Amino acid sequence: MKGKSRIFTDEWKANISKAALIAKASTSVGVSKKASGYVEFTRGEHKGRTVHVVTMEQHVGRRLFANECVHHIDGNRSNNSISNLMLMTRADHASLHAKENFSNRKRDENGKFM
C-alpha cells in the first residue's frame, strides 16, 4: 500500500469512531487523582474539572464566581463529601491558610522560626 492513499466512506469513519468510543468506555473510570491530590473528572460534561468544585456548584445551584473557591475542611483533597467542603472567597481562603501556617511554625532554642 506504499504510495497509495486509502479512501474511507463517511459510514466507515462513523463505525471506527463508534467502536473506539465503546472500547474506551469499557476501560475508563471517569475520574483521576492528580499529583496535587485533587480528584478530576476525565469523562462526561465535567471533563477536566475537579470533583470538589463541581460538587459545591451542584450544592449551591450555580457556577462559582471568579472570587470563590472551595476549601477542604479536613485537609484531605480527595475527600469530596459536601460535609467536608466549605465555600469561601479567595481572600478568606488565603487568610485561613496563612493563619494555619503561622500557628504551625516552631521556634528553635534561640527563638527564631525554623
Side-chain angles (χ1 to χ4, degrees):
M1 295 290 301
K2 190 171 184 178
K4 295 183 179 182
S5 61
R6 296 180 69 179
I7 300 172
F8 293 102
T9 64
D10 289 337
E11 181 183 2
W12 185 270
K13 292 176 190 176
N15 285 339
I16 292 172
S17 295
K18 183 178 176 183
L21 286 173
I22 291 170
K24 291 175 184 174
S26 66
T27 60
S28 176
V29 177
V31 293
S32 164
K33 187 171 182 179
K34 300 300 172 192
S36 62
Y38 292 108
V39 181
E40 180 179 275
F41 287 107
T42 57
R43 299 195 60 187
E45 66 179 296
H46 300 298
K47 181 178 178 179
R49 301 185 67 214
T50 53
V51 174
H52 67 284
V53 170
V54 173
T55 303
M56 183 57 73
E57 287 176 349
Q58 291 171 346
H59 180 70
V60 297
R62 62 171 173 80
R63 293 288 296 249
L64 297 185
F65 297 130
N67 69 332
E68 292 178 325
C69 66
V70 181
H71 173 70
H72 288 89
I73 296 169
D74 68 357
N76 180 359
R77 294 176 174 177
S78 61
N79 180 0
N80 294 309
S81 65
I82 196 65
S83 61
N84 185 48
L85 302 177
M86 181 187 310
L87 183 63
M88 306 178 82
T89 64
R90 292 192 182 277
D92 289 342
H93 191 242
S95 176
L96 174 71
H97 281 289
K99 289 175 186 171
E100 287 175 355
N101 290 340
F102 184 75
S103 65
N104 292 334
R105 294 176 74 183
K106 304 222 184 303
R107 294 180 182 265
D108 65 10
E109 63 277 353
N110 296 326
K112 294 184 179 180
F113 285 112
M114 299 189 319

